[in-house]
Amino acid sequence: MILINFSHPLTEQQLAQIATFVGATPEVRAIDAQIDRERPLAEVAVELVDRVGLSPDEWQTIPLLINPPALAPLAVAVLAEIHGRAGGFPAMVNVRPVTGTVPTRYEVAEVLNLQALREAARRRR
């Protein structure tokens, strides 16, 4: 399992939380997602996903988790690019602030199976 991290670095505690959710410690691939907002998002998304370094076969066979970019429009474009390469949606890490912490700390709230979410939505059509 590979965790593609397009966001802030994950702490050891957050990685342990992810391992608890998925039952394994994923290999982490950190992808710097700081972008030039003047560039077309489609081009940027292709470049970011290319940096993951997976072959066409690996995109389709290795279980994937993503921690999406914090910039929402970029996250959507990256997700579309990954879906096209993988043939389905990956699971997604949901990181949230811990209430009442100073300074603010973040925890892994859940690992969301986006493909299952999509399939459930299809039944509501």
Side-chain angles (χ1 to χ4, degrees):
M1 177 177 298
I2 296 176
L3 167 57
I4 307 167
N5 185 14
F6 294 101
S7 195
H8 299 283
L10 296 164
T11 66
E12 289 300 319
Q13 182 179 6
Q14 291 165 336
L15 291 171
Q17 291 170 325
I18 291 167
T20 298
F21 279 114
V22 299
T25 301
E27 171 192 337
V28 178
R29 298 206 182 170
I31 308 299
D32 180 9
Q34 296 297 314
I35 66 165
D36 175 357
R37 291 299 311 270
E38 297 298 316
R39 294 189 58 216
L41 284 179
E43 289 177 10
V44 173
V46 169
E47 290 173 9
L48 291 177
V49 175
D50 280 347
R51 289 186 207 157
V52 176
L54 296 178
S55 72
D57 286 346
E58 289 170 326
W59 279 111
Q60 297 174 66
T61 59
I62 295 174
L64 300 174
L65 300 171
I66 64 164
N67 188 20
L71 180 64
L74 180 59
V76 172
V78 163
L79 188 56
E81 182 68 24
I82 290 172
H83 186 284
R85 293 181 191 209
F89 289 105
M92 182 188 77
V93 176
N94 178 15
V95 178
R96 68 177 172 206
V98 177
T99 304
T101 58
V102 177
T104 304
R105 286 184 331 181
Y106 296 86
E107 67 183 355
V108 176
E110 64 184 330
V111 173
L112 183 59
N113 183 333
L114 295 177
Q115 187 65 33
L117 182 65
R118 180 228 183 249
E119 290 166 8
R122 294 275 304 186
R123 290 189 295 275
R124 291 189 289 273
R125 282 174 46 168

